[in-house]
């Protein structure tokens, strides 16, 4: 049995830099035709020079593989119109992080006050740039995303021409916002479709499943699963594949991030097949994103075959989700 996907895309990925970039970039290119690349390097991507240089390093790491990295800029509330006009030639979106909320987000915004954000968000609306948001407060870890929903609502109402992507949503409350505001969209990861907090910390602690936002409750996972399986037109696949070297995961003070890039399509195919929804996978992994972003990815056919795939124990010094386990589908 074979299932073919046309130009699948990953609308939220961390490709990192240097040796890690060289290790993980080809793994994304094996499965995807394009991806939205996160800007949270150290230091984050905040200048045109850094943007162009990083784009160049990604292309170099891809070699001959067909893959378009769609660049993003790290949101700062003091960017000028002139700067954003120039940047808009090179980027699809800006990524907003509340300061300190996740890996390498220290330079993010100190406050989500609408008036402070207004000048940049007005210009972004004018230029048709998309706002990608890591939507968590600094409250109790299980409530952070839910508490952020009122901020999503304020942003969506205050900037009706701005397309806002709620990144890697994990709660039923975020799912509900999709049908409430025309300009709110979402990415959903593989791991949040598969796990709950029980898998992370309910038994022995699983550092390789620890990420931000943390996996939530069964009812949250179910809400994510329902909109994904039906390929709700406002949701897109975004892996949030976030590799960290093994010594940063298997230690006291584990870095947040699940590495899924090399296994994502295989596991998604298995999941959609199990639910008899394979026909909707194309929209979830490509067509919806093309419409939302107004973007046509390079043509690429990716075929999956129902032959077991033994997931490697590691790729370089990164441990993937399902390391050492078997998935039901492989890349052809
Ligand atoms: C991401 C990372 O490691 O850069 N970590 C994560 O847990 N998802 C950052 C992020 O997207 O929050
Ligand atoms: Zn991320």
């Amino acid at each position: 049995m074979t299932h073919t996907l046309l130009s699948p895309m990953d609308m939220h990925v961390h490709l990192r830099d240097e040796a890690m970039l060289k290790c993980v970039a080809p793994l994304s290119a094996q499965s995807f035709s394009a991806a939205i690349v996160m800007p949270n390097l150290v230091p984050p991507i905040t200048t045109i020079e850094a943007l162009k240089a990083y784009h160049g390093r990604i292309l170099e790491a891809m070699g001959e593989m067909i893959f378009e990295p769609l660049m993003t800029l790290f949101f700062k509330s003091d960017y000028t119109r002139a700067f954003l006009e120039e940047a808009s030639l090179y980027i699809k979106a800006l990524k907003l992080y509340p300061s300190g909320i996740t890996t390498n987000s220290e330079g993010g915004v100190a406050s989500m006050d609408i008036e402070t954000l207004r000048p940049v968000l007005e210009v972004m609306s004018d230029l048709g740039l998309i706002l990608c948001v890591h939507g968590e407060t600094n409250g109790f870890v299980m409530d952070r995303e839910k508490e952020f929903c009122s901020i999503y609502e304020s942003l969506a109402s205050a900037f009706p021409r701005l397309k806002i992507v709620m990144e890697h949503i994990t709660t039923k409350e975020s799912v509900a916002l999709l049908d409430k505001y025309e300009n709110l969209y979402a990415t959903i990861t593989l791991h949040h479709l598969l796990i709950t907090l029980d898998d992370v910390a309910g038994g022995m602690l699983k550092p390789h499943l620890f990420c931000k936002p943390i996996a939530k409750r069964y009812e949250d996972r179910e809400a994510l699963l329902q909109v994904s399986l039906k390929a709700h037109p406002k949701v897109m696949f975004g892996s949030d594949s976030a590799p960290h070297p093994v010594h940063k995961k298997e230690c006291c003070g584990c870095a947040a991030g699940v590495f899924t890039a090399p296994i994502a399509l295989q596991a998604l195919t298995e999941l959609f097949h199990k639910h008899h929804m394979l026909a909707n996978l194309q929209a979830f992994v490509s067509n919806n994103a093309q419409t939302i972003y107004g973007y046509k990815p390079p043509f690429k056919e990716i075929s999956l075959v129902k032959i077991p795939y033994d997931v490697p124990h590691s790729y370089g010094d990164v441990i993937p989700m399902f390391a050492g386990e078997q998935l039901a589908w492989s890349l052809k």
Side-chain angles (χ1 to χ4, degrees):
M1 190 179 177
T2 302
H3 187 74
T4 299
L5 295 167
L6 301 180
S7 304
M9 293 196 279
D10 182 350
M11 302 312 280
H12 181 136
V13 70
H14 299 269
L15 293 180
R16 312 299 194 205
D17 212 344
E18 301 175 351
M20 182 67 91
L21 169 64
K22 293 197 176 85
C23 167
V24 303
L27 298 171
S28 277
Q30 234 167 54
S31 290
F32 300 100
S33 140
I36 290 279
V37 180
M38 289 296 129
N40 63 332
L41 303 183
V42 189
I45 305 289
T46 56
T47 66
I48 311 268
E49 297 69 47
L51 196 59
K52 286 196 206 165
Y54 187 38
H55 183 249
R57 294 196 297 279
I58 296 171
L59 291 184
E60 200 180 302
M62 295 296 171
E64 300 292 293
M65 301 175 90
I66 297 170
F67 180 88
E68 188 161 17
L70 306 173
M71 305 305 289
T72 61
L73 200 59
F74 191 93
F75 186 99
K76 291 276 197 187
S77 49
D78 58 358
Y79 288 143
T80 64
R81 179 174 286 266
F83 171 77
L84 288 166
E85 277 173 2
E86 190 184 349
S88 70
L89 303 173
Y90 306 101
I91 60 174
K92 288 270 174 278
L94 279 84
K95 174 69 185 287
L96 187 152
Y97 294 92
S99 175
I101 206 68
T102 189
T103 311
N104 305 339
S105 64
E106 288 69 25
V109 298
S111 134
M112 285 302 298
D113 170 50
I114 297 275
E115 292 318 311
T116 314
L117 307 177
R118 183 177 296 280
V120 170
L121 295 182
E122 294 284 8
V123 178
M124 286 176 62
S125 303
D126 293 344
L127 297 174
L129 286 167
I130 289 179
L131 178 70
C132 300
V133 182
H134 185 116
E136 289 194 284
T137 67
N138 54 14
F140 176 61
V141 68
M142 287 296 277
D143 295 337
R144 287 175 189 176
E145 184 175 301
K146 192 162 88 178
E147 288 174 0
F148 200 90
C149 282
S150 62
I151 302 176
Y152 278 134
E153 298 203 53
S154 307
L155 286 171
S157 311
F159 306 97
R161 292 177 300 134
L162 182 68
K163 283 188 176 176
I164 301 167
V165 181
M166 304 182 284
E167 295 294 334
H168 43 51
I169 58 169
T170 59
T171 60
K172 60 184 189 326
E173 287 79 10
S174 298
V175 169
L177 290 184
L178 291 169
D179 292 323
K180 200 166 164 199
Y181 293 90
E182 202 184 329
N183 57 335
L184 285 184
Y185 302 85
T187 54
I188 297 180
T189 73
L190 167 70
H191 48 283
H192 292 122
L193 291 175
L194 296 177
I195 65 171
T196 69
L197 184 61
D198 267 356
D199 297 286
V200 186
M204 290 227 269
L205 186 68
K206 298 283 172 46
H208 299 290
L209 297 180
F210 171 65
C211 66
K212 302 286 179 66
I214 194 96
K216 304 289 187 315
R217 296 178 171 79
Y218 289 86
E219 61 266 33
D220 294 307
R221 183 180 65 177
E222 188 56 29
L224 299 172
L225 197 55
Q226 288 316 317
V227 279
S228 301
L229 289 174
K230 74 175 186 209
H232 185 298
K234 297 178 87 184
V235 305
M236 312 169 260
F237 174 63
S239 70
D240 194 19
S241 179
H244 292 278
V246 60
H247 71 270
K248 294 246 168 114
K249 293 290 287 177
E250 297 181 2
C251 62
C252 166
C254 165
V258 183
F259 180 52
T260 53
I263 55 91
L265 279 191
Q266 299 90 319
L268 281 173
T269 305
E270 182 169 343
L271 179 68
F272 276 63
H273 181 243
K274 188 178 101 183
H275 290 274
H276 310 287
M277 290 293 182
L278 254 189
N280 288 345
L281 186 55
Q282 177 65 34
F284 182 62
V285 299
S286 188
N287 301 5
N288 288 356
Q290 292 186 35
T291 307
I292 295 165
Y293 271 81
Y295 166 75
K296 193 120 197 87
F299 181 79
K300 201 170 185 175
E301 260 183 353
I302 301 285
S303 291
L304 291 116
V305 283
K306 201 158 177 294
I307 295 174
Y309 177 55
D310 292 310
V311 179
H313 289 276
S314 70
Y315 295 88
D317 67 347
V318 198
I319 314 280
M321 188 179 187
F322 296 119
E325 294 177 42
Q326 197 173 69
L327 296 174
W329 292 72
S330 317
L331 292 174
K332 199 166 182 176

